[in-house]
Amino acid sequence: STTFFILFHSLESGGNRIAPTTISTILKRAIQAAIRAGYSVKTANEQAAQNLAKLSIQQKISEKMAG
């Protein structure tokens, strides 16, 4: 999916290697968060993709992955 590619590419560019299963988990959590925030199930994937493409969110994920 597009979200997978954006997140994976961004994190790879930063020198962090993350297992695809971890990225899948991050994506699932982002979709769940969008649903909890009030987005419909139909649009939650798009909202999650938009949020995961934001540099500030990618930086937070990288920080959490680093320890």
Side-chain angles (χ1 to χ4, degrees), residues 1-33:
S1 79
T2 302
T3 304
F4 175 84
F5 176 78
I6 291 169
L7 182 61
F8 186 73
H9 178 70
S10 298
L11 293 173
E12 283 280 303
S13 298
N16 296 324
R17 290 201 172 269
I18 298 178
T21 54
T22 303
I23 294 173
S24 176
T25 300
I26 291 169
L27 176 57
K28 287 177 187 175
R29 289 181 181 174
I31 292 169
Q32 291 169 352

Side-chain angles (χ1 to χ4, degrees), residues 19-54:
T21 54
T22 303
I23 294 173
S24 176
T25 300
I26 291 169
L27 176 57
K28 287 177 187 175
R29 289 181 181 174
I31 292 169
Q32 291 169 352
I35 292 169
R36 285 192 308 272
Y39 291 91
S40 71
V41 173
K42 187 175 181 179
T43 61
N45 188 47
E46 181 180 334
Q47 186 62 35
Q50 290 174 6
N51 282 332
L52 290 174
K54 294 177 183 175

